[in-house]
Every structure is written in structure tokens, then in C-alpha cells.
Amino acid sequence: MVKITIDGIEIEVAAGTTILDAARQINPETAPPAMCFHSKLEGSGGKCRTCLVKVTKTSPSNPRPMPKLAPSCRTFVEDGMEVENNRSEEVLEARKGVVELLLINHPLDCPICDQAGECDLQNLAFEHGAETTDYQEERRRFPAKAIGDLIQLQMNRCILCFRCVYVADQLTDGRHHGVLGRGDSSEIGTYIEAAIDNDFSGNMIDVCPVGALTDRTFRFKSRVWFSKPMAAHRTCEKCCGNAVLWLKGNEILRVSGRRNDVGEVTEFICNTCRFDTKSLHLWEVEGPARISRDSVISQNHTPS
Amino acid sequence: MTPQFSSQTLSNIEILKTRYPVEQSKSALLPILHMAQAEFGGYLSRESMDYVASLLNLQPIEVYEVATFYTMFHLKPTGKYVLEVCRTGPCALSGAEHIVDYLKQKLGVDLNQTTPDGLFTIKEVECLASCGSGPVLQVGECYVENLTDQRVDSMLAALKSGELSDNEPTPAHSILFRTCGDKQS
Amino acid sequence: MSRKILLENGDISGIDQFDIYRQHGGYQSVEKAIKTMTPLEVVDEVKKSGLRGRGGAGFSTGMKWSFLDRKSDKPRYLVCNADESEPGTFKDRYLMEKIPHRLIEGMIVSSYALGASRAYIYIRGELMWLAKRLENAIGEAKAHGLLGDNILGSDYSLDLVVHPGGGAYICGEESALLESLEGKRGYPRLKPPFPAISGLYGCPTVINNVESIAAVPWIVTHGGEEYSKIGIEKSSGTKLISASGHINRPGVYEIELGLPVEEFIYSDAYCGGIRNGRTLKAVVAGGSSVPILPAELILRTAAGIPRLMTYESLSDGGFQTGTMLGSGGFIVMDDTTCIVRNTWNFARFYHHESCGQCSPCREGTGWMEKVLHRIEHGHGTPKDIDLLVDIAKKIEGKTICALGDAAAWPIASAIRHFRHEFEYHIAHPDKITDPDHVYQPMGTK
Ligand SMILES: Cc1cc2nc3c(=O)[nH]c(=O)nc-3n(C[C@H](O)[C@H](O)[C@H](O)COP(=O)(O)O)c2cc1C
Ligand code: SF4
Ligand code: FES
Ligand code: FES
């Protein structure tokens, strides 16, 4: 076990824990925001730079100075480390800048976006963003590309977190999409238009922090906050069968994976559960699903 | 039609693979893409990339990801000679912008376009490590440096007549690189 | 004339061929090292020499070598960074073109010191013709028993491989280079772990610039101490400077570190003064990434001390009034240069070359380019100048690799030292519609 201090609060965590994880253990509400890291996806993180923190004191056992802000999702705790998160002006300022940069090319089309209400970027902008931006150039636009009947890709909204690529790499047999191009013309795609459809591809939807990958079978059916999320399970030979059903009356509008209190999907589900099991009698309903702190549902609409 | 490397290239690729650890044959991807571009018409079609993927046991997407990252790979057919003019700072200080304009006017096409006879495509590229002898352009494996209008004229004429080729002879023992002159365009 | 180490015998005709190179003392260091020295003794000589990395960062080469994890049972690699794509830099190309065997010799001795049995030279793909020449040189060295199995009859064997890139500035960044060498997109890695622990294929790896490696043979032959006597204090040895822009004699010069900047610019042994009898306006001293300095600050520090070509002297004054030696890409601008246009040009370069992996650089470089494009094309607003400074701050220090910083510095420094020129553009859009204004003195617009 190692001891570290974050914003003056001391905590003991296992060696090999990241600063982000340690901060989440102290309090998920005050932990740094993380747009690209995902605990269940190996290699993820380090890219969006929203989780930057300041290591004000490095471990006496490894006293290399860390003058630059560090990505907390990929920086490991060391005994005696002192970290500043929300207490550091520098961190808050940097975060604000990163959020602004993430937004300059974002279409801000929340009113017509299926992710609205459960969008990490919306929440991020709300909690950590600056009120205004000086950006007045044209926003980047990508031509629409179809990737099959199940998943809707809206590249304009993508923040290039790479999580969906890791899902395809780590959960599905054979990755068919990836990041193409370079710099700010990088895009998620299949190069030649091709449908992405294999047993676990639907998880790309769940890990996408924004509305770039959404459930086509759910599109425009309803705003999320008009549906009731219920935890349910079924016996499935492909996956754990533990899911969240989004109900309107007795109709299943959508099936998704379960999330923990920082909004990360904890167990991945297969496409059969997600797309092909939409009758209530096929599920064992457990009760209202735990909703991540950030969802509008947890704020506006307590499921009864 | 599925493209197919010549048997010479295929055996070169086998030697090439021995230059990397056995389980790391993906390392040979960039050199092989260069070979594919040279052998299959001066650009990388989807079929060429799929073929390269099959040679290295990769998912095609892994090849598309790489090919779209690097600027030397053309993803669409080009003219026989691609004139890649450096546009970066030091060359700009020595008149690169004028050379680009001159080429456009001389060939009657814009950037990234090909002359109707299929001979020339003009592109702008970033610094070619030739800043002291700028303006410079690259055509195939050849650098043409210290460009002036006259030099552009004589270069175009020499390329047309075949006096100047866009490749250098390959050293006898070198298996890595096919020369651009083998382009079948 | 300055002493020649890297370009020693460079003027002898045929020096690019094995026999001639060998006749003039080539490959002596390989003989000396393999026959009379242990690998760690070679490392010690390099440490003593005070040699600092010539790729840009100036990190001690001996130190870097001593960080290499020698306890791991994985193979160790030496990778030579011949990606040379920092605007203004063309020295590695020159060296490889002129004396390819110097690099090969350096690779052999260095690999021996590091215990690498395979080493790679990652060369930018555009220099394919040069890659072939290197392969040719490798073939010659092999034929003479200096490479391959049991070098010079010893039990040391080395396989040296030339690997071409595909066109991407970012692959000069060492961890992106490794990714690229592994056949992937050139995405810089998060550090730690550093390559010395986990580099190429997850194995301990040392990455050095061409020029750093090419200095090793001389150091081994003549001793690290001899090398450390050349130059000034912590800037020991000689350095290749790539001189470009508005000078009479552009080209690559090997200088002894410590040469006064003024002499370098005006002496006929080097740049030979400003072209067409014009006057010096500004210099970018170490490749496009380092801060630009106006004439008065490049010739003399803020305290009025003549600047020298050393790491320390060029960075005297920090970013307020100083710059960096960087890769030695010395770009000279005369009084006809439009700083705004040049800054936009550099911004376009970084925008084009950002790998796109991390958000501040991916989004910020494009934003800066767009704003600068507007200013340069007569659509700037007074707020734009501070906006640029602000965007640069949002990128600097927040990114995965130093390309973000490299994109921010030229812009921040151009505004710091030439703010009036940006203001002029914004106030007089009508005066800059002349497409040739870049070639006109600012005052005459
Ligand atoms: C964006 C970027 C581009 C770079 N380009 C080069 C390059 O073209 N050549 C080079 O030797 N080093 C380059 N470097 C520096 C390398 O990362 C690395 O520090 C260097 O190769 C180490 O060798 P040295 O210690 O011998 O200088 C670059 C760094 C960055 C951040
Ligand atoms: S700083 Fe730029 S080049 Fe470096 S990793 Fe981030 S996006 Fe890529
Ligand atoms: S969550 Fe750490 S960088 Fe994105
Ligand atoms: S700027 Fe053109 S070659 Fe370097």
C-alpha cells in the first residue's frame, strides 16, 4: 500500500493505482474528469488531457521533478506523492482550456443529439468549461458515413477518445474500424464503407463519451429522460446478461450496459442482448438502475 | 483484380521480414507500402492495401490506418510524375511560393491536380531537409534544388523527354526499395 | 577555420566509398573499441566527452546511455533518428550524403557499447535515395567484416538495418519513431516508461540523432577528454549548423561550439553576411520550433553580452529574451521578411504535422493557423493577437509530446518580439493584399 495526498486529503491505496483511481476512491464527485480513459479498456487514456493534475511533491523514493501537469489517468501513485486537483488554479485553468479546445470544433447540436442528457462532454463543459469561447472560425465537418444498421456514426461530434477502437480491439474478433487520417482531420471510420457488426460491437456505443456513436435502433425514439432505466438480467451464453433496460411503459426502447458511479460501463454485453432482446418477458427485471451522478436523469427524474 | 507483387519483390519481402524479430513482421509495413505504391501504379488502391494486409497477416484496417497517416502515400491515382514542392518557412523565404505559382501557370493546373496528358501532378509538401538549397521539389526519389523558373522549365522538359528520370539506380545489393521508375502508369 | 570532427576528410573525393574512407582512418574506432575496450569503457568515454544530443533537446548522450536497462534479459536496441524533418534542419542529410560511413561506424561502436545486436537507422521516407546509399555503405562494411557476424573476428555481432518512414514530422519524436518502426501510426507514447526501460518492441532502447552517433567514433579514437576540451564548458565539441534563408552562403557548417553568433552570420567562412546587401531582421536559431529573436537579441543578450553558439548562451534570458540551440537549424531573415507571414507558415506546418492524438495540440494548432491566416490575409481583428497568445498557453505543457510546445513557441515569440507587425497587419489590411508583400520591407507597404 502507498500513501498519497490529493488536495490535502490523505489516502492509502494499492501500489499500481493511478492518481485518477485514488481520487475516485476519495470521492467520485471531485475526482478529475476523464473523457478518454476507461478502466476496462487496456491502453486507454492519456489523450484527452482533461484529467490533468499537478504533482506538487514526488515520492521521496523517486524524486524526479514533475514540472508539467500530469494525466492522472495514466500516472501511477508513488508513496508520499502530493497531488493538487481542484485546489490548484493552474489545474483548473488548464482544464478549462482543454475543455474549450475540445468544444471548438464540436457541432453543439445537443438539441438534436441522442446523447443529450447523458453526454460526458455536456457535463464536462458544464462543470469545468469556460462560459465563453473566442472561437469564431468555421467548425470542422465530416461527410456522413454509414457503418451499418445498428450503430450511428456522427463524426462531427467525436472527440477522438479512441475508446471504441479499444473495444473493437479487445472485445470483438477482428477490428474493422479505426482512426484514419492525421491531426485534426483524423476520423473514426472503416475506410471503405462497411458495416460494423459482430457480437460485441454494440459496446462501442456505451463507451463513447459523446453522441458520436449512438444506438440506431433507438434513434429519435425518445429523449433519454423520458424513459425509465431498469436493471435487468437474462441468461445469455455470450455475455454476462446484466444490462439496463430503458423502458417507456412496457416497451423496451433501448438496452445498454451497466455503469458504475463514475459512469463507466462495468460489464460489457453482447449484441443479442442489446439489439435483439427487446421484449420485457425475456428479461428478469431487478429494479431501478443505478444512474451515474452525471446523468440528467439522476438530477431531473428520479425513477420510481 | 487482386494485385500481385513480382516474384522478385516477393522474395525481397521475405528478406525484409528477417530484418525484424519474427513476431514483429508488422514492422515491414511501411517499406512494403512503398514497394506497393511503386509497383501498383503509383498509388495505394484499396485492393493494394488489402493485398499488403494479407502478406503480413494484418487486418486491412491496420493498413488503412497507417497509409492514411503518412503523407508519402497517395490514396488516389496521380500523374506519372508527382511534383512535390516544399512550402515551409526557409523555402518560402527563398521563393517557394513563386515556384508553386509558376508551376501552376506553366502546367495549367492547380495544386493536387493532374495535367490532362496524365504526366504531372503538383502538390505542396512540408520541409524536405533541403532548406539551404531551396526552393526545392521532390519528384519520385529525385530532389530538384535551387529552383528558378529556368530550372523548372528544363526539369519539365527533361522529364518529358525521359532525360531525367525520377529515380536513382538501385545499388545492386539493395533489396529494400524498388525504384519509382517501375511505376506502371 | 573551425576544427572538423564530423566532417573530417569530408572534402576528399570518394570519401563516401568504403576504401577511401578506410584509408583515411575510417573504422579505427571499431577496431579500438572491439579489440581493446569493454562496452562500459566506451560508455565512459562518451560520458567524459560531455557530448549532448544533437537532435534538439541537448540531453547528455553518456547519461542517456547509462540509463539503459542492462539487467533486463530482453534484447537491447540502438535506434538512430534520421528522420530530420524540423524545418531549417538539413545537417543529418548532408552528413549521411557526404560521409555515410561515419554514421555506420558510429552505429557499430555505439551498438557495441550498448550491447545491442540489432540496430536500426530510421530515415525519413523522402530520403529514399539516401537510404539506398546507406544500405550500400552497410553492404561494404559487411563485406569487410565490420558488420554482421563476429565483427573483426570477435564474438560481437551486429545486424544494422535501414528503415524508411512514410512522411510525418512527428516520427522525429523518439517514441512516435518507435511506433512507426513497429509499423504503426506515428503516435508519441506516454512517458514513463522511457525507452531506456521499454522502447522498441517493449525492449530497452537508446535513440540518438545521426549527428550524436557520428561524433562517437572520434570520441572513442581520441578519448572523451580530448573531445571535452573542444567547445566551451557544458557545450563541448563541434556542432553542425544548417544555415538557410537570406544569407550569402547557405549550407551546413561544422562549428566549434562557442563561436560568436555575429561571426557565424557575417564571416565568409560561414553564412557570409546578409544577401543582396540587406540588413538582418531576425533569426530562428535552432530549427522552426525555437523562439525567433530579432537581430539585436540574437547578436547580443539582453545584458549586452555577445551571444555565442552554445546551448547556454543562446538560451540566456530564457524565453523572454533568449532562444535555444535546438537542432542547429539557423534560419536567417532579412529586413524584407514579413514576420506575420512566416509565423503563419510555421503555424500551418505544425497544424499539418500534429498527429492528432491529444486534444490540445490537435485542436489548438488548427485554431492558431486559422487566426494567423486571417491576420495575414487582411481579416484580423485587434483581439486576435492576445487570442493567439492565449491559445498558445492552452497548448503549451498540456500535451503528450513536445510538438505542442514546438507549435506554441514560434507564435508566442513572434508576437513577443514583433507585436507591432501583427498590429500593422490588422490596422492596414489594404496594405497587405499585395501578394508580394512578403518580399517588401515592412515600412514600404
Ligand atoms: C516533434 C518532435 C520532432 C523531433 N524531430 C526530430 C528529428 O527529426 N530528428 C532528431 O534527431 N530528433 C528529433 N526530435 C528529438 C527526439 O525526440 C529525440 O530527443 C532525439 O532523437 C534524441 O537524440 P539525441 O539525444 O541524440 O539528440 C524531435 C522531437 C520532437 C518533440
Ligand atoms: S502534442 Fe500533438 S503531436 Fe504530440 S501527441 Fe499530442 S497531438 Fe500528437
Ligand atoms: S482521461 Fe486522462 S487524458 Fe483523457
Ligand atoms: S523548408 Fe523547404 S526543405 Fe526545409
Side-chain angles (χ1 to χ4, degrees):
Chain A
M1 299 295 274
V2 298
K3 237 187 231 159
I4 83 158
T5 310
I6 303 175
D7 281 349
I9 302 171
E10 202 178 80
I11 183 173
E12 228 176 307
V13 294
T17 306
T18 59
I19 295 177
L20 176 67
D21 243 346
R24 284 174 171 180
Q25 287 178 30
I26 293 174
N27 182 357
E29 302 276 333
T30 55
M35 297 294 287
C36 67
F37 176 76
H38 192 293
S39 316
K40 290 275 179 295
L41 298 172
E42 201 185 317
S44 67
K47 301 184 173 69
C48 72
R49 317 303 283 180
T50 57
C51 72
L52 293 175
V53 293
K54 187 161 183 66
V55 177
T56 45
K57 190 168 154 243
T58 45
S59 168
S61 64
N62 183 12
R64 77 201 147 93
M66 290 177 67
K68 282 189 180 182
L69 300 182
S72 59
C73 66
R74 290 284 296 262
T75 309
F76 295 103
V77 296
E78 284 169 37
D79 201 37
M81 221 181 211
E82 286 175 21
V83 175
E84 289 201 340
N85 175 27
N86 298 322
R87 241 171 41 174
S88 153
E89 265 314 307
E90 187 187 347
V91 168
L92 296 179
E93 195 56 34
R95 227 172 250 166
K96 214 191 260 180
V98 172
V99 174
E100 181 179 3
L101 289 168
L102 276 175
L103 286 172
I104 57 172
N105 277 303
H106 193 77
L108 302 178
D109 56 349
C110 309
I112 54 154
C113 176
D114 262 353
Q115 192 89 354
E118 48 180 9
C119 173
D120 291 349
L121 189 58
Q122 227 175 15
N123 300 324
L124 181 76
F126 182 71
E127 287 173 31
H128 302 278
E131 285 89 67
T132 56
T133 175
D134 297 307
Y135 191 73
Q136 41 164 297
E137 323 302 320
E138 212 168 300
R139 285 172 202 266
R140 179 172 63 227
R141 300 213 133 263
F142 292 94
K145 294 222 171 83
I147 54 167
D149 297 335
L150 303 174
I151 304 173
Q152 178 74 34
L153 169 62
Q154 305 261 11
M155 189 55 216
N156 293 335
R157 297 178 187 148
C158 174
I159 59 158
L160 287 167
C161 71
F162 289 65
R163 285 179 184 171
C164 64
V165 181
Y166 291 110
V167 163
D169 248 347
Q170 293 166 28
L171 297 175
T172 67
D173 45 332
R175 179 161 67 84
H176 301 288
H177 86 294
V179 178
L180 304 168
R182 185 165 86 190
D184 66 358
S185 39
S186 306
E187 59 176 318
I188 298 289
T190 47
Y191 191 65
I192 32 133
E193 292 209 347
I196 297 178
D197 180 14
N198 54 45
D199 277 352
F200 285 85
S201 62
N203 292 295
M204 288 165 39
I205 300 167
D206 283 354
V207 299
C208 179
V210 296
L213 294 169
T214 50
D215 186 334
R216 258 196 114 160
T217 64
F218 173 69
R219 277 195 88 206
F220 304 133
K221 278 212 176 126
S222 171
R223 302 305 279 185
V224 271
W225 51 87
F226 296 133
S227 60
K228 221 189 311 178
M230 300 295 274
H233 65 267
R234 62 184 281 266
T235 318
C236 176
E237 53 197 31
K238 289 189 196 142
C239 71
C240 60
N242 297 327
V244 175
L245 308 182
W246 299 76
L247 300 177
K248 193 170 174 189
N250 277 343
E251 191 193 349
I252 301 182
L253 297 180
R254 173 174 78 157
V255 181
S256 68
R258 293 191 187 178
R259 291 170 191 271
N260 62 13
D261 52 9
V262 290
E264 276 178 349
V265 173
T266 48
E267 288 172 300
F268 294 113
I269 58 169
C270 70
N271 282 11
T272 312
C273 287
R274 184 185 305 270
F275 298 118
D276 304 329
T277 319
K278 293 226 174 134
S279 307
L280 204 50
H281 72 273
L282 297 172
W283 294 92
E284 199 93 34
V285 177
E286 296 162 20
R290 184 158 74 150
I291 296 301
S292 91
R293 65 177 169 112
D294 283 335
S295 171
V296 283
I297 299 160
S298 62
Q299 288 150 24
N300 307 344
H301 172 118
T302 320
S304 51
Chain B
M1 219 189 65
T2 317
Q4 174 77 30
F5 277 131
S6 67
S7 56
Q8 180 62 50
T9 308
L10 283 174
S11 70
N12 284 345
I13 287 176
E14 284 317 305
I15 303 173
L16 186 60
K17 283 190 197 164
T18 66
R19 297 180 169 187
Y20 310 95
V22 226
E23 66 286 11
Q24 301 290 354
S25 60
K26 188 174 179 181
S27 276
L29 182 52
L30 283 180
I32 296 179
L33 284 175
H34 282 296
M35 294 172 174
Q37 177 154 301
E39 201 156 320
F40 305 135
Y43 78 108
L44 293 174
S45 66
R46 185 203 146 195
E47 290 74 20
S48 308
M49 290 191 273
D50 290 353
Y51 173 61
V52 170
S54 73
L55 291 179
L56 289 173
N57 280 321
L58 300 172
Q59 296 277 353
I61 186 71
E62 293 179 74
V63 179
Y64 309 150
E65 282 177 331
V66 167
T68 58
F69 186 86
Y70 296 96
T71 48
M72 288 183 75
F73 301 117
H74 308 309
L75 303 167
K76 300 213 174 83
T78 63
K80 181 166 182 212
Y81 301 109
V82 185
L83 308 173
E84 298 177 303
V85 190
C86 170
R87 67 178 186 186
T88 316
C91 276
L93 293 177
S94 5
E97 295 180 13
H98 168 77
I99 294 296
V100 171
D101 288 343
Y102 185 72
L103 267 171
K104 285 195 213 166
Q105 174 223 321
K106 185 92 191 172
L107 296 174
V109 291
D110 221 325
L111 285 179
N112 303 312
Q113 289 181 350
T114 301
T115 50
D117 58 7
L119 271 186
F120 300 107
T121 306
I122 325 174
K123 289 195 178 212
E124 278 183 346
V125 292
E126 299 293 353
C127 180
L128 289 169
S130 197
C131 330
S133 32
V136 56
L137 70 74
Q138 174 161 32
V139 48
E141 291 185 23
C142 212
Y143 275 29
V144 187
E145 305 182 290
N146 294 310
L147 289 171
T148 56
D149 293 0
Q150 294 73 14
R151 201 169 264 235
V152 167
D153 289 345
S154 50
M155 174 198 71
L156 291 175
L159 281 170
K160 274 189 193 156
S161 69
E163 220 173 299
L164 175 66
S165 104
D166 60 350
N167 64 279
E168 281 218 333
T170 314
H173 76 284
S174 170
I175 59 111
L176 235 185
F177 311 109
R178 282 187 64 95
T179 52
C180 294
D182 300 335
K183 259 197 280 201
Q184 338 148 325
S185 43
Chain C
M1 270 312 266
S2 196
R3 168 159 202 179
K4 297 268 182 287
I5 287 180
L6 298 153
L7 298 179
E8 192 179 21
N9 301 326
D11 295 332
I12 293 170
S13 97
I15 196 75
D16 58 335
Q17 271 137 53
F18 181 86
D19 294 337
I20 313 256
Y21 182 71
R22 193 86 168 97
Q23 276 162 30
H24 290 87
Y27 290 104
Q28 263 177 19
S29 71
V30 177
E31 279 184 60
K32 179 171 178 190
I34 291 190
K35 291 187 178 155
T36 69
M37 294 168 83
T38 66
L40 287 176
E41 281 168 357
V42 179
V43 175
D44 265 350
E45 289 306 318
V46 172
K47 265 196 204 157
K48 273 191 239 158
S49 74
L51 174 67
R52 293 167 68 172
R54 306 297 196 217
F59 189 80
S60 152
T61 304
M63 283 260 265
K64 185 184 270 192
W65 288 15
S66 60
F67 289 154
L68 184 72
D69 181 4
R70 288 173 178 267
K71 292 195 205 86
S72 152
D73 49 12
K74 292 181 181 162
R76 296 191 283 272
Y77 291 103
L78 171 64
V79 177
C80 171
N81 189 341
D83 190 61
E84 192 161 72
S85 28
E86 168 94 355
T89 315
F90 45 100
K91 60 178 179 93
D92 297 340
R93 169 202 162 182
Y94 182 83
L95 180 67
M96 293 187 286
E97 199 175 342
K98 211 157 170 104
I99 323 178
H101 285 286
R102 186 137 296 146
L103 175 61
I104 310 296
E105 180 177 352
M107 286 300 283
I108 302 170
V109 193
S110 307
S111 300
Y112 172 72
L114 298 167
S117 53
R118 187 177 262 150
Y120 293 94
I121 299 174
Y122 182 101
I123 185 167
R124 57 180 301 179
E126 291 88 345
L127 295 175
M128 203 63 101
W129 45 281
L130 202 43
K132 290 178 186 172
R133 289 202 198 170
L134 287 176
E135 282 208 313
N136 206 6
I138 289 173
E140 288 179 309
K142 216 175 203 163
H144 289 87
L146 286 156
L147 258 176
D149 291 339
N150 304 102
I151 296 176
L152 298 175
S154 72
D155 53 10
Y156 180 64
S157 304
L158 175 68
D159 189 11
L160 181 55
V161 172
V162 181
H163 183 99
Y169 166 65
I170 191 57
C171 292
E173 195 281 337
E174 55 186 24
S175 61
L177 182 152
L178 296 178
E179 287 285 299
S180 181
L181 184 45
E182 291 181 7
K184 302 179 202 153
R185 294 160 66 82
Y187 280 155
R189 296 176 181 170
L190 293 168
K191 284 166 250 180
F194 292 94
I197 310 295
S198 173
L200 184 62
Y201 312 127
C203 302
T205 304
V206 164
I207 302 145
N208 272 129
N209 173 257
V210 170
E211 187 187 343
S212 315
I213 290 175
V216 174
W218 196 95
I219 292 170
V220 169
T221 310
H222 301 265
E225 211 170 299
E226 262 327 283
Y227 188 88
S228 74
K229 289 182 194 153
I230 306 166
I232 296 184
E233 292 168 13
K234 282 188 182 158
S235 294
S236 67
T238 64
K239 169 106 191 69
L240 297 179
I241 305 292
S242 322
S244 67
H246 298 147
I247 45 177
N248 283 317
R249 292 165 35 89
V252 174
Y253 298 100
E254 179 167 8
I255 60 154
E256 255 180 67
L257 287 169
L259 182 79
V261 172
E262 187 157 6
E263 184 179 343
F264 183 68
I265 297 177
Y266 291 103
S267 155
D268 282 339
Y270 307 104
C271 301
I274 309 302
R275 213 174 56 178
N276 302 333
R278 305 221 60 112
T279 55
L280 176 68
K281 177 171 184 177
V283 170
V284 175
S288 62
S289 304
V290 311
I292 188 173
L293 287 184
E296 59 280 10
L297 281 174
I298 187 68
L299 297 174
R300 254 161 267 284
T301 66
I305 302 162
R307 255 195 228 280
L308 309 178
M309 302 285 278
T310 63
Y311 293 95
E312 294 73 25
S313 175
L314 283 169
S315 60
D316 186 315
F319 274 12
Q320 277 314 305
T321 57
T323 180
M324 283 153 75
L325 177 59
S327 63
F330 200 88
I331 310 167
V332 179
M333 301 173 198
D334 71 13
D335 55 352
T336 68
T337 311
C338 171
I339 298 293
V340 178
R341 193 168 188 81
N342 190 69
T343 310
W344 162 56
N345 183 303
F346 282 166
R348 179 177 65 182
F349 172 82
Y350 291 104
H351 177 202
H352 186 260
E353 299 299 331
S354 163
C355 82
Q357 192 183 199
C358 67
S359 33
C361 168
R362 177 183 67 238
E363 304 297 340
T365 50
W367 190 1
M368 293 194 299
E369 192 215 323
K370 285 178 190 156
V371 174
L372 280 160
H373 182 273
R374 268 200 291 108
I375 299 177
E376 168 61 12
H377 291 82
H379 307 290
T381 64
K383 281 201 320 216
D384 283 340
I385 301 178
D386 288 331
L387 175 61
L388 283 169
V389 175
D390 195 49
I391 307 170
K393 269 196 209 130
K394 285 176 177 140
I395 303 172
E396 190 189 344
K398 321 285 189 297
T399 53
I400 295 179
C401 83
L403 189 142
D405 303 336
W409 294 338
I411 295 173
S413 59
I415 294 177
R416 190 179 305 127
H417 299 298
F418 296 95
R419 196 180 179 99
H420 54 280
E421 238 170 273
F422 289 82
E423 288 166 351
Y424 181 90
H425 272 66
I426 290 165
H428 304 281
D430 51 312
K431 300 248 169 74
I432 54 177
T433 46
D434 171 8
D436 273 346
H437 78 275
V438 62
Y439 307 114
Q440 305 298 323
M442 282 303 295
T444 65
K445 277 193 200 170

